[in-house]
Amino acid sequence: MRCRRCGDTAAINMRQHRLALCTVHFPEWFLEQTQRIIHKYRMFTPDERVLVAVSGGKDSLALWDVLLRLGYRADGVYIDLGIDHGTGYSARSRDKAAAFAAQHPEAHLTIVDIPGLYGESVPQVAQRRRRPHRPCSICGLIKRHEMNRVAFEGGYAVLATGHNLDDETATLFGNVLHWQVDYLRHQFPVLPADGQGLARKVKPFCRFYERETAAYTLIQGIDYIADECPYAGGATSLAHKATLTQMEHDVPGTKMHFYTNFLKAKAAGLFAIEEAGSELHSCPQCGQPTSAAELCNFCRLWDGVSTD
Ligand code: Q46
Ligand code: ZN
Ligand code: ZN
């Protein structure tokens, strides 16, 4: 297989694009495509400061790398959840994020130490809330809250995550199977700020297959944590990913069409967001918008926990 641009040996063949590229021209294409998506969905401009949610994994570090190479003012935030589970997961992923930041003095990495700040790690909160084996909803709540807080306090215009096409299609598949209309309404490459303290959220890698982001990190020599979080991959989401991967194998481009046609249907008005009621108010403790009666769900998590 030869590179379409120079005729050298290709490093990757993307069947769904009918495009093979070498180690020089694949990263070039990858940057062009990211820029195209940022532009197409009006994610952010070169003047705006971007906060990248960095997990230490390949997608988020690749995203940070690409945004810096494209000349954006991109900083990172790493949330240390205090997950050990015999694997040292948080400590090792934090090291990867910090090592990447150390190589890029033009960018700043904010590290949020959850156990240090709030007195408990995510597994400890989950244990106390009697969900020791399923901490993900609590973890998601904590991550969203803290990323928003750092974005707001740091004056960032936008929060960027490294979700790729495989992530987006697995989520879409699950949401469609269960007709989670509310989730479908909010699944999009860009979600506007709400004007009450929630940052704009963007997913510049939403059109890349996971193997493309993996190839990019490999070619650029980006060191990342290959292990997933020990709590990752509930049986259902793994089953959804496996089903989609089988379909993609049978018909290349299935995932891409599933996702892009969903976006087109949304643009045509499917699942249009209803006029938002203004039932949100500011949490009296942290100030973030919430629909809860008093304290927001995040602040209620820590009731009774002392950090002294
Ligand atoms: S970090 Fe947190 Fe994920 Fe681990 S505990 Fe679940 S939500 S799986 S992306
Ligand atoms: Zn080439
Ligand atoms: Zn709160």
Side-chain angles (χ1 to χ4, degrees):
M1 193 72 62
R2 298 269 145 205
C3 171
R4 162 97 63 87
R5 293 194 180 171
C6 72
D8 263 6
T9 307
I12 183 167
N13 179 29
M14 295 171 283
R15 284 168 74 198
Q16 73 286 357
H17 296 306
R18 295 176 197 206
L19 182 64
L21 293 168
C22 69
T23 51
V24 172
H25 291 111
F26 174 71
E28 210 175 270
W29 174 86
F30 197 84
L31 261 67
E32 291 161 10
Q33 293 301 308
T34 310
Q35 181 57 72
R36 192 176 69 81
I37 293 299
I38 292 169
H39 200 69
K40 178 178 169 82
Y41 292 102
R42 301 203 177 114
M43 291 182 169
F44 43 83
T45 64
D47 301 331
E48 291 183 304
R49 289 174 62 232
V50 183
L51 184 64
V52 182
V54 177
S55 68
K58 68 177 180 329
D59 299 295
S60 57
L61 287 178
L63 177 59
W64 198 4
D65 180 271
V66 166
L67 295 185
L68 291 173
R69 284 176 195 266
L70 288 172
Y72 288 105
R73 300 164 66 199
D75 288 335
V77 57
Y78 174 84
I79 314 278
D80 188 332
L81 306 160
I83 294 174
D84 183 73
H85 214 265
T87 65
Y89 172 73
S90 284
R92 288 192 297 127
S93 52
R94 177 176 171 154
D95 285 349
K96 299 290 182 192
F100 181 92
Q103 291 167 8
H104 295 82
E106 75 278 26
H108 175 73
L109 176 66
T110 301
I111 293 182
V112 178
D113 178 356
I114 295 295
L117 269 178
Y118 297 103
E120 281 183 339
S121 67
V122 163
Q124 286 170 325
V125 186
Q127 179 83 37
R128 182 166 52 78
R129 308 283 289 206
R130 298 199 173 78
R131 312 191 71 170
H133 305 297
R134 297 173 57 215
C136 291
S137 59
I138 288 172
C139 180
L141 170 67
I142 291 173
K143 285 195 288 193
R144 279 194 300 279
H145 186 279
E146 290 300 277
M147 284 171 191
N148 258 305
R149 182 178 65 74
V150 174
F152 182 73
E153 290 176 3
Y156 292 94
V158 57
L159 183 64
T161 58
H163 293 96
N164 59 42
L165 183 68
D166 294 63
D167 300 325
E168 291 303 295
T169 48
T171 303
L172 178 58
F173 195 56
N175 289 344
V176 169
L177 272 183
H178 302 287
W179 287 113
Q180 309 258 39
V181 174
D182 235 31
Y183 291 159
L184 289 164
R185 278 200 184 112
H186 289 101
Q187 188 174 359
F188 206 65
V190 52
L191 287 179
D194 73 342
Q196 301 185 64
L198 293 186
R200 186 187 331 151
K201 296 196 181 68
V202 298
K203 300 173 183 174
F205 280 1
C206 63
R207 300 278 286 268
F208 287 129
Y209 281 77
E210 188 172 347
R211 67 186 283 267
E212 294 163 3
T213 60
Y216 181 81
T217 44
L218 192 71
I219 291 171
Q220 302 291 35
I222 297 169
D223 187 23
Y224 62 91
I225 181 159
D227 308 359
E228 288 213 61
C229 168
Y231 298 105
T236 327
S237 75
L238 279 185
H240 291 167
K241 277 202 170 174
T243 304
L244 286 161
T245 298
Q246 181 60 47
M247 289 161 74
E248 177 75 30
H249 179 78
D250 296 342
V251 183
T254 297
K255 289 183 191 178
M256 178 71 87
H257 291 137
F258 181 43
Y259 186 60
T260 53
N261 287 337
F262 164 68
L263 297 183
K264 280 186 200 147
K266 285 196 82 167
L270 187 71
F271 307 122
I273 296 182
E274 286 166 358
E275 216 26 58
S278 59
E279 74 275 14
L280 294 185
H281 65 268
S282 291
C283 168
Q285 192 155 304
C286 72
Q288 288 197 17
T290 176
S291 57
E294 284 218 357
L295 291 186
C296 75
N297 290 339
F298 175 85
C299 289
R300 282 191 306 180
L301 268 187
W302 310 102
D303 266 357
V305 179
S306 163
T307 51
D308 299 338

